[in-house]
Amino acid sequence: MPSNRAKNNWVARVKELDIDMMAPQHGRIFKGEMVAEFLEWFAKLDVGIA
């Protein structure tokens, strides 16, 4: 993510969706309640420089 603003916007939009699984190009697959746990963790992560 290029910035916290972009990340927060993405997290807010994704939280509105009914997601059973997130399968990123790299890394682990998140299923069920792990999706919400990932989103909560990612929302708190400081990213980017913009």
Side-chain angles (χ1 to χ4, degrees):
M1 287 286 167
S3 68
N4 283 312
R5 183 176 176 187
K7 177 203 62 173
N8 293 336
N9 181 279
W10 180 83
V11 169
R13 288 184 290 127
V14 170
K15 281 184 173 184
E16 293 179 10
L17 303 174
D18 184 23
I19 298 175
D20 295 321
M21 179 187 309
M22 288 178 64
Q25 290 180 341
H26 304 285
R28 68 186 296 184
I29 294 173
F30 300 93
K31 297 179 182 178
E33 62 187 53
M34 289 176 61
V35 172
E37 291 173 10
F38 169 78
L39 292 173
E40 290 299 319
W41 170 81
F42 191 54
K44 296 175 186 173
L45 187 65
D46 193 28
V47 300
I49 58 172

